[in-house]
Amino acid sequence: MSSEEPAAQEETGGSEPAEQLTGRQRLLKGLWPPRVSRAQLIVALLLFVLGLGLAIQVRSNSESSALRGARQEDLVRILDELDNRTQRLEDEKQRLSGQRTELENSSDQAEEARKQTAEKERQLGVLAGTVAAQGPGITLTISDAAGAVEADALLDAIQELRAAGAEAIQINDVRVVAGTYLADGDDGVRVDGRKISAPYRFKVIGKPEDIEPALKIPGGVVQTLQKEQATVSVAREDKIVVDALRRANRPDYARSSSP
Amino acid sequence: MIAVLGLIAGVVAGLLVRPEVPAVVVPYLPIAVVAALDAVFGGLRAMLDGIFDDKVFVVSFLSNVVVAALIVFLGDQLGVGAQLSTGVVVVLGIRIFSNAAAIRRHVFRA
C-alpha cells in the first residue's frame, strides 16, 4: 500500500476533480482484495497490539470491582475505613474471647469451689457428727460393775481422748461432738440427754499409737477408773466405724459472718 | 484487510488468553490505548487522504504511546497523575474527533 500511495497521492493530487470518490475507493481497495505487503503486516502488528491492550483494559475494567476505577484519595479513605473496621472487629474479638476465658475460668472456679465445699462439708460433718466416719482407732470399754463411774470420769476420758487427737468419738450409740454434755441422772449417766448405761463402749477414731498411751499413762484415765473398781480395756483396731449420728441443727441466731 | 484482521485478532486474543499485565504497566495501559487509537485514526485519515506511509504510522503510533505513558508517569511522580491523564485524554479525544471528521468527509462526502 505504502509503495503505491505516494504515487496515488500525486496522481489524485494531480487530478483531484476527476476522481471525487478517491478516499472511499482507496478504502475499499485497501480492504479488498487482501494483499500481503510490509505495510499491511506492520500495521496489522500494531493494530494487534492495540486490540490486545483494548481488550485487556476493557476486561480488567469490567471484571474488577469499583476499586479499580477509584481515585487515590478514595482508595486511601476506603483503606482507612477498612482498617478502622478491622480494628473494631479485632477489639470486639478480644473482648469476646476475654469474656469466654472469664466464663470458662469462673465455671472452673465454681466447680472447684463446689468440690471444696463438698469436701469441707464432709470434714465438718465428721466434726459435727452429722455423717458417719471410719478409720483406725481404738475401742475403750469401761465395765462398771460397782456403779461408781460417773459423768465426770467419762468426761475426763473424753477430754483425754480429744487431747490425744481423737477425731470422732461415740459412746455406746451417742456421738460425742463439741457441744456434747454429760450429766449424772438418777438412773445413770446422761449424754446429751440420752441415758447410757455400763458397759460404756467408746469407739474412737484417731491415731491409735497416740491415743492408747495417752489413756494408759500413769495417773491417767485408765488408772483413775481402775481405782474406782471399774474394769477398763483398751484395744487398738485398724477399722473403727463411728456411725452414731446427730441431727444438724440450724442455729437460730448465729449466722456465718464470712462471705 | 490484513490490518483489520490484526485488530480483530488482537481483541480476540486479549479476551481469550487473558494475559497477566505487569503491575508496572497497568496505570499506563488505558492512556496508551487511547494514544494508539489516536494514531490509528490518524493513519486511517492519511490513508483516505492518500498520504499514508507505514514508516510514519509506526513512528507516530509508538511515539504516541510512549509520550502518553511518559506524561502519565511524570504526572504520577509530580502528584498530578489524574489531572494529567485527563488532559492527555482530552487532547487525544479532540484529535480523534477531528480525524474522525476528516474520515467521515472522505467516506460519506459530508
Side-chain angles (χ1 to χ4, degrees), chain A residues 115-151:
Chain A
K115 273 189 202 158
Q116 284 180 2
T117 306
E119 179 63 26
K120 199 153 194 166
E121 189 190 354
R122 279 194 295 277
Q123 291 172 359
L124 292 176
V126 170
L127 284 180
T130 55
V131 299
Q134 67 171 39
I138 61 149
T139 56
L140 166 68
T141 310
I142 303 170
S143 308
D144 180 26
V149 175
E150 294 190 335

Coordinates of all heavy atoms in Angstrom, one line a residue, chain A residues 115-151:
Chain A
K115 N -16.5 -28.5 94.7 CA -15.8 -29.6 95.2 C -15.3 -29.4 96.6 O -15.4 -30.2 97.5 CB -14.6 -30.0 94.3 CG -15.0 -30.9 93.1 CD -13.7 -31.3 92.4 CE -14.0 -31.7 91.0 NZ -12.7 -31.6 90.2
Q116 N -14.7 -28.2 96.7 CA -14.1 -27.9 98.0 C -15.2 -27.8 99.1 O -15.0 -28.2 100.2 CB -13.3 -26.5 98.0 CG -12.0 -26.7 97.2 CD -11.3 -25.4 97.2 OE1 -11.7 -24.4 97.7 NE2 -10.1 -25.4 96.5
T117 N -16.3 -27.2 98.7 CA -17.4 -27.1 99.6 C -17.9 -28.5 100.1 O -18.1 -28.8 101.2 CB -18.6 -26.4 99.0 OG1 -18.1 -25.1 98.5 CG2 -19.7 -26.1 100.0
A118 N -18.0 -29.4 99.1 CA -18.4 -30.8 99.4 C -17.4 -31.4 100.4 O -17.8 -32.1 101.4 CB -18.6 -31.6 98.2
E119 N -16.1 -31.2 100.0 CA -15.1 -31.8 100.9 C -15.2 -31.3 102.3 O -15.1 -32.0 103.3 CB -13.7 -31.5 100.2 CG -12.6 -32.0 101.0 CD -12.5 -33.6 101.0 OE1 -13.1 -34.2 100.1 OE2 -12.0 -34.1 102.0
K120 N -15.3 -30.0 102.3 CA -15.4 -29.3 103.7 C -16.6 -29.8 104.4 O -16.6 -30.0 105.6 CB -15.5 -27.8 103.5 CG -15.1 -27.0 104.7 CD -14.5 -25.7 104.3 CE -13.8 -25.0 105.4 NZ -13.0 -23.9 105.0
E121 N -17.7 -30.0 103.6 CA -18.9 -30.4 104.3 C -18.7 -31.8 105.0 O -19.2 -32.0 106.1 CB -20.1 -30.5 103.3 CG -21.4 -30.7 103.9 CD -22.5 -31.0 102.8 OE1 -22.1 -30.9 101.6 OE2 -23.6 -31.3 103.2
R122 N -18.0 -32.6 104.2 CA -17.7 -34.0 104.8 C -16.9 -33.8 106.1 O -17.2 -34.5 107.1 CB -17.0 -34.9 103.8 CG -18.0 -35.5 102.8 CD -17.3 -36.6 102.0 NE -16.2 -36.1 101.2 CZ -16.4 -35.6 99.9 NH1 -17.6 -35.5 99.4 NH2 -15.4 -35.2 99.2
Q123 N -15.8 -33.0 105.9 CA -15.0 -32.9 107.1 C -15.7 -32.3 108.3 O -15.6 -32.8 109.4 CB -13.8 -31.9 106.8 CG -12.8 -32.5 105.8 CD -11.8 -31.5 105.3 OE1 -11.9 -30.3 105.7 NE2 -10.9 -31.9 104.5
L124 N -16.5 -31.2 108.0 CA -17.3 -30.6 109.1 C -18.3 -31.6 109.6 O -18.7 -31.6 110.8 CB -17.9 -29.3 108.6 CG -16.9 -28.2 108.3 CD1 -17.6 -27.0 107.7 CD2 -16.2 -27.9 109.6
G125 N -18.9 -32.4 108.7 CA -19.9 -33.4 109.1 C -19.3 -34.4 110.1 O -19.9 -34.8 111.0
V126 N -18.1 -34.8 109.9 CA -17.4 -35.7 110.8 C -17.3 -35.0 112.1 O -17.6 -35.6 113.2 CB -16.0 -36.1 110.3 CG1 -15.2 -36.8 111.4 CG2 -16.2 -37.0 109.1
L127 N -16.9 -33.7 112.1 CA -16.7 -33.0 113.4 C -18.1 -32.8 114.0 O -18.2 -32.9 115.3 CB -16.1 -31.6 113.1 CG -14.6 -31.6 112.9 CD1 -14.1 -30.2 112.6 CD2 -13.8 -32.3 114.0
A128 N -19.1 -32.5 113.3 CA -20.4 -32.1 113.8 C -21.2 -33.4 114.1 O -22.2 -33.3 114.7 CB -21.1 -31.2 112.9
G129 N -20.7 -34.5 113.6 CA -21.4 -35.8 113.9 C -22.6 -36.0 113.0 O -23.4 -36.8 113.4
T130 N -22.7 -35.3 111.9 CA -23.8 -35.5 111.1 C -23.5 -36.6 110.0 O -24.5 -37.0 109.3 CB -24.2 -34.2 110.3 OG1 -23.0 -33.7 109.6 CG2 -24.6 -33.1 111.3
V131 N -22.3 -37.0 109.9 CA -22.0 -38.1 108.9 C -21.2 -39.1 109.7 O -20.5 -38.9 110.7 CB -21.2 -37.6 107.7 CG1 -22.0 -36.6 106.9 CG2 -19.9 -37.1 108.1
A132 N -21.4 -40.4 109.2 CA -20.6 -41.5 109.8 C -19.1 -41.3 109.4 O -18.8 -40.7 108.4 CB -21.1 -42.8 109.3
A133 N -18.3 -41.9 110.2 CA -16.8 -41.8 109.9 C -16.2 -43.2 110.2 O -16.7 -44.0 111.0 CB -16.2 -40.8 110.8
Q134 N -15.1 -43.4 109.5 CA -14.4 -44.6 109.8 C -12.9 -44.4 109.6 O -12.5 -43.5 108.9 CB -14.9 -45.8 108.8 CG -14.5 -45.5 107.4 CD -14.8 -46.7 106.5 OE1 -15.8 -47.4 106.7 NE2 -13.9 -47.0 105.6
G135 N -12.2 -45.3 110.3 CA -10.7 -45.1 110.2 C -10.1 -45.9 111.3 O -10.8 -46.6 112.1
P136 N -8.8 -45.9 111.4 CA -8.1 -46.6 112.5 C -8.4 -45.9 113.9 O -8.7 -44.7 113.9 CB -6.7 -46.4 112.1 CG -6.6 -45.2 111.3 CD -7.9 -45.1 110.6
G137 N -8.3 -46.6 114.9 CA -8.6 -46.0 116.2 C -8.6 -47.1 117.3 O -7.9 -48.1 117.2
I138 N -9.3 -46.8 118.3 CA -9.3 -47.8 119.5 C -10.8 -47.9 119.9 O -11.6 -47.1 119.6 CB -8.5 -47.2 120.6 CG1 -9.0 -45.9 121.2 CG2 -7.0 -47.1 120.3 CD1 -8.8 -45.7 122.6
T139 N -10.9 -49.0 120.7 CA -12.2 -49.1 121.5 C -11.8 -49.1 122.9 O -10.8 -49.7 123.3 CB -13.0 -50.3 121.1 OG1 -12.1 -51.5 121.3 CG2 -13.5 -50.3 119.7
L140 N -12.5 -48.3 123.7 CA -12.3 -48.2 125.1 C -13.5 -48.7 125.8 O -14.6 -48.2 125.6 CB -12.0 -46.8 125.5 CG -12.0 -46.4 127.0 CD1 -10.8 -47.1 127.7 CD2 -11.9 -44.9 127.2
T141 N -13.4 -49.8 126.6 CA -14.6 -50.4 127.2 C -14.4 -50.2 128.7 O -13.4 -50.6 129.3 CB -14.7 -51.8 126.8 OG1 -14.6 -52.0 125.4 CG2 -16.1 -52.4 127.3
I142 N -15.4 -49.6 129.3 CA -15.4 -49.4 130.7 C -16.6 -50.2 131.3 O -17.8 -49.8 131.1 CB -15.6 -47.9 131.1 CG1 -14.4 -47.1 130.4 CG2 -15.5 -47.8 132.6 CD1 -14.6 -45.6 130.6
S143 N -16.3 -51.3 132.0 CA -17.3 -52.1 132.7 C -17.4 -51.6 134.1 O -16.4 -51.5 134.8 CB -17.0 -53.5 132.7 OG -16.7 -53.9 131.4
D144 N -18.6 -51.2 134.4 CA -18.8 -50.5 135.8 C -19.7 -51.4 136.6 O -20.9 -51.1 136.7 CB -19.3 -49.1 135.5 CG -19.5 -48.4 136.9 OD1 -18.8 -48.8 137.8 OD2 -20.3 -47.5 136.9
A145 N -19.1 -52.4 137.1 CA -19.9 -53.3 137.9 C -20.4 -52.7 139.2 O -21.6 -52.8 139.6 CB -19.1 -54.6 138.3
A146 N -19.6 -51.8 139.8 CA -19.9 -51.2 141.1 C -20.8 -50.0 140.9 O -21.3 -49.4 141.9 CB -18.6 -50.8 141.8
G147 N -20.9 -49.5 139.7 CA -21.8 -48.3 139.5 C -21.1 -47.1 140.0 O -21.7 -46.1 140.4
A148 N -19.7 -47.1 140.0 CA -19.0 -46.0 140.6 C -18.6 -45.0 139.5 O -18.1 -43.9 139.9 CB -17.8 -46.5 141.3
V149 N -18.7 -45.3 138.3 CA -18.3 -44.4 137.3 C -19.4 -43.3 137.0 O -20.5 -43.7 136.8 CB -18.0 -45.1 136.0 CG1 -17.6 -44.2 134.9 CG2 -16.9 -46.1 136.2
E150 N -19.0 -42.1 137.1 CA -19.9 -41.0 136.9 C -19.6 -40.2 135.7 O -18.5 -40.4 135.1 CB -20.0 -40.2 138.2 CG -20.5 -41.0 139.4 CD -20.8 -40.1 140.6 OE1 -20.2 -39.0 140.7 OE2 -21.7 -40.5 141.4
A151 N -20.4 -39.2 135.6 CA -20.2 -38.4 134.3 C -18.8 -37.7 134.2 O -18.2 -37.7 133.2 CB -21.3 -37.3 134.3

